[in-house]
Amino acid sequence: LRWWLSLVALCALFLAGWIAFNPPILGLFGAPVTVLGLPLLYLYLFAGWAGLIALAAVIVERRDPPPAAAAPDAPAGEAEE
């Protein structure tokens, strides 16, 4: 089931990236404005791309939590304190 959730999350991330980098959306950032000396469009492109890569890494590298029933081995007959 975990792989299915990762697949759905990656598909949603792909669609979000597709929408974010569509020409109508990119046109919103085409104004001649600079932020810290960088054109707004370049800043949007690089920050958005880095964000997509970071989110994809988080989705792919997510680890399953250890099972709750797994306890350290204790010799038979000893009670835990």
Side-chain angles (χ1 to χ4, degrees), residues 52-66:
L52 285 174
I53 291 172
L55 287 173
V58 167
I59 292 169
V60 171
E61 294 296 325
R62 203 170 19 183
R63 302 279 187 234
D64 289 333

Side-chain angles (χ1 to χ4, degrees), residues 19-76:
I19 291 169
F21 295 121
N22 249 337
I25 303 298
L26 290 176
L28 296 174
F29 297 95
V33 176
T34 59
V35 177
L36 299 173
L38 295 171
L40 188 60
L41 179 62
Y42 293 170
L43 189 64
Y44 173 75
L45 285 173
F46 289 121
W49 190 255
L52 285 174
I53 291 172
L55 287 173
V58 167
I59 292 169
V60 171
E61 294 296 325
R62 203 170 19 183
R63 302 279 187 234
D64 289 333
D73 293 333

